[in-house]
Amino acid sequence: MSLQPEIIQKLTAIVGENYIFTDIETRNHYGHDETEDYVFPPNVVVKPANSEEIAAVLKVANDYKIPTTPIGARTGLSGGALSIYEGIGLSTERLNKIIEIDELNLQVTVEPAVITQVLREAVAEKGLFYPVDPSSMGSCWIGGNIAENSGGARAVKYGVTKDYVLNLEVVLPNGEIIWTGANTLKNSTGYNLTQLMVGSEGTLGVITKAVLKLLPQNSHNVLMLVPFYKAHEACEAVSAIFRAGIVPSALEFMERDAIDWTLKYHDNINVTVNDNVQAHLLIEVDGNYPEILMLEAEKIMTVVEQFEIDEVLFADTEDQKNALWKLRRSVAEAVKSNSVYKEEDTVVPRYMLPELLSGIKKIGSKYGFQSVCYGHAGDGNLHVNIIKGDMTDDHWKTQVPIGIREIFELTVSLKGTLSGEHGIGFVQKNFMDIAFTRTHLELMESIKRVFDPNNVLNPGKIFPDE
């Protein structure tokens, strides 16, 4: 499709000529995220400055029935920000302010383009803690975190994005601006529109402000890296730690290839991995009393020593801790630097992790692909990177999707679901029938129609074969 000159003129009048772009280079730049190698350029990129300008843009889009895709930091892995029907690419990058840190009520009000790590550091300076920490927190934005209900390493103890969202300012597809809730910790007043928006992947409205809950900052933590000789035993140890009465602040799984590839990618990380080690758990406990943390660490040791493990590494300094976290957070980059890949985001009850990992490897053997698995084992969230390597393009396009469907079927059979934190977006939508009946999907589609009867906002996402 192409946009009429009068539409470009209307959009220019809203955002100004310096914030509207029709050149192919800019359109391509805003036409991709971190999802494989997809590029879907919009016809025009607009960069509004505030809620009112976004509302005006959406009124134009709704009047002319122009597909409009909210575009954030483009760090997503499900294609949620791809303009698959062209139209308007609506970048929120100019809405990047921390509006207020309310120290008395432990709340913060932010705009959507605030980088997650920037927010975490800003509140930490005041002794406060925003726990949500996706691996891409140095580049991803709060708005995208809310749209995808992002998690991260510390979700196991502190929860995911939805657990910290109190209230949202949202521009609806028809251009109306609403607040979805109240700045209160409890709210039983009508339907919960705030939580409906969280995880809606930009299909129901454009988030322009968020009021987030904060916690007091813990002052101490203990971090250990536990090598296992058998990958399935590393998965078994996850549930065993919780059954022993310990709730870690992070519990991450990395299989051997994930570690090896990342150590090659970052040759300044000094971690020795013996030949017979198949997997690692990165385990953190945090709190305010070091003596209690050491007791918890000792209890964790009694659990993991029931399995076949190598020497446990305790991070003694902040530099060592940072190096271990860099190792974990760099896995996706390292895999991407080695090969074209597809990343799937499975999640199961944590006790089912060993069966999930074993099943993924069997499916890979059946369909001829290698997988590199890692993730937030403490909450059952396993990322599965399927490696193209020297696979033919035909095999990659025809056989691998069948294998991915079997992985999701296995995941659902283990009482899990398709995504723990990456969302459905464009790339997973045709697997939704595995997790949901037609009744479920019709209910969701009905909600979409109420908010967006003209289907202008982020069309082609979530629902199969839209």
Side-chain angles (χ1 to χ4, degrees):
M1 65 175 291
S2 60
L3 298 185
Q4 303 166 23
E6 68 175 292
I7 294 172
I8 300 297
Q9 291 171 4
K10 287 178 182 290
L11 296 174
T12 303
I14 294 167
V15 301
E17 62 182 15
N18 292 328
Y19 298 103
I20 184 166
F21 304 87
T22 56
D23 62 286
I24 188 61
E25 183 178 358
T26 302
R27 290 164 49 217
N28 280 338
H29 181 70
Y30 287 87
H32 71 88
D33 58 10
E34 292 299 316
T35 310
E36 301 177 39
D37 54 356
Y38 293 120
V39 181
F40 290 89
N43 297 111
V44 60
V45 175
V46 296
K47 300 181 181 182
N50 50 49
S51 306
E52 290 72 25
E53 289 188 2
I54 290 175
V57 169
L58 287 180
K59 283 178 182 176
V60 171
N62 200 49
D63 288 345
Y64 287 87
K65 298 182 174 56
I66 303 167
T68 301
T69 303
I71 299 174
R74 295 174 295 108
T75 59
L77 291 162
S78 62
L82 301 178
S83 299
I84 62 173
Y85 294 136
E86 300 180 307
I88 300 170
L90 195 160
S91 171
T92 60
E93 65 193 72
R94 294 174 68 195
L95 284 74
N96 59 7
K97 295 186 291 295
I98 298 175
I99 297 170
E100 179 189 15
I101 299 175
D102 182 349
E103 297 177 67
L104 297 178
N105 287 304
L106 276 70
Q107 296 177 6
V108 60
T109 303
V110 297
E111 292 184 320
V114 173
I115 295 171
T116 306
Q117 186 169 339
V118 170
L119 173 64
R120 285 168 55 88
E121 291 173 354
V123 301
E125 289 178 2
K126 298 182 180 296
L128 300 173
F129 181 39
Y130 180 68
V132 183
D133 61 342
S135 292
S136 59
M137 67 178 180
S139 54
C140 65
W141 296 350
I142 290 295
N145 291 176
I146 295 170
E148 301 295 337
N149 192 23
S150 298
R154 292 177 176 86
V156 61
K157 178 176 180 179
Y158 292 104
V160 296
T161 301
K162 71 177 178 62
D163 300 303
Y164 295 89
V165 180
L166 299 175
N167 200 0
L168 296 170
E169 182 187 72
V170 174
V171 182
L172 299 176
N174 65 1
E176 289 188 52
I177 302 173
I178 66 169
W179 281 93
T180 59
N183 299 7
T184 56
L185 296 177
K186 297 171 73 175
N187 186 349
S188 295
T189 311
Y191 292 152
N192 195 331
L193 297 179
T194 304
Q195 290 300 318
L196 181 59
M197 285 292 169
V198 177
S200 63
E201 303 192 33
T203 62
L204 302 181
V206 178
I207 296 162
T208 50
K209 292 185 183 71
V211 180
L212 306 174
K213 180 178 69 173
L214 303 174
L215 299 176
Q217 180 77 53
N218 284 324
S219 53
H220 298 280
N221 62 67
V222 174
L223 185 66
M224 63 184 81
L225 186 68
V226 186
F228 287 78
Y229 294 143
K230 298 176 181 177
H232 74 273
E233 286 197 354
C235 291
E236 290 172 8
V238 173
S239 177
I241 289 168
F242 286 89
R243 295 199 310 272
I246 303 295
V247 179
S249 51
L251 209 175
E252 300 288 295
F253 171 85
M254 296 173 284
E255 70 169 324
R256 178 62 186 251
D257 284 345
I259 291 272
D260 285 347
W261 288 17
T262 307
L263 290 175
K264 290 177 184 176
Y265 185 73
H266 286 296
D267 56 12
N268 59 340
I269 299 177
N270 185 22
V271 174
T272 300
V273 183
N274 290 332
D275 291 341
N276 49 356
V277 169
Q278 289 189 1
H280 286 77
L281 291 181
L282 182 65
I283 308 172
E284 179 191 83
V285 289
D286 71 352
N288 290 311
Y289 303 101
E291 62 275 14
I292 293 176
L293 297 184
M294 291 311 301
L295 289 173
E296 291 184 341
E298 289 171 9
K299 196 167 187 179
I300 290 171
M301 285 297 299
T302 64
V303 173
V304 299
E305 285 171 348
Q306 300 171 31
F307 301 92
E308 294 184 58
I309 64 171
D310 205 345
E311 184 176 356
V312 176
L313 171 63
F314 280 84
D316 295 324
T317 66
E318 286 302 312
D319 284 345
Q320 282 187 322
K321 291 175 184 179
N322 290 336
L324 291 181
W325 276 116
K326 184 177 182 180
L327 174 68
R328 165 59 188 92
R329 295 186 189 282
S330 299
V331 172
E333 293 176 73
V335 172
K336 188 173 184 177
S337 72
N338 272 272
S339 172
V340 173
Y341 74 107
K342 296 178 183 288
E343 180 165 345
E344 310 305 332
D345 177 42
T346 60
V347 61
V348 294
R350 65 173 72 98
Y351 186 72
M352 302 297 185
L353 273 174
E355 195 169 343
L356 175 63
L357 181 65
S358 173
I360 288 168
K361 297 305 180 182
K362 290 177 182 176
I363 292 168
S365 296
K366 177 179 177 182
Y367 290 97
F369 60 76
Q370 176 192 0
S371 63
V372 177
C373 297
Y374 63 95
H376 314 303
D379 47 28
N381 188 191
L382 191 67
H383 300 318
V384 183
N385 283 197
I386 297 171
I387 310 303
K388 185 173 189 290
D390 56 5
M391 190 185 301
T392 66
D393 289 344
D394 180 67
H395 193 92
W396 181 249
K397 293 176 181 177
T398 61
Q399 294 302 301
V400 170
I402 300 173
I404 292 172
R405 174 164 280 269
E406 285 199 19
I407 288 173
F408 285 137
E409 288 171 345
L410 169 66
T411 303
V412 172
S413 75
L414 297 174
K415 310 300 182 186
T417 193
L418 309 184
S419 176
E421 59 184 10
H422 291 170
I424 298 301
F426 172 64
V427 296
Q428 313 298 2
K429 66 178 186 175
N430 289 326
F431 299 117
M432 286 283 275
D433 63 293
I434 299 171
F436 295 110
T437 66
R438 188 63 243 169
T439 299
H440 288 103
L441 293 172
E442 286 174 356
L443 283 170
M444 295 183 196
E445 290 166 352
S446 297
I447 292 169
K448 167 67 170 170
R449 285 193 294 271
V450 168
F451 279 81
D452 186 13
N454 291 323
N455 195 28
V456 298
L457 193 58
N458 213 6
K461 311 295 167 56
I462 299 179
F463 303 113
D465 297 320
E466 185 181 315

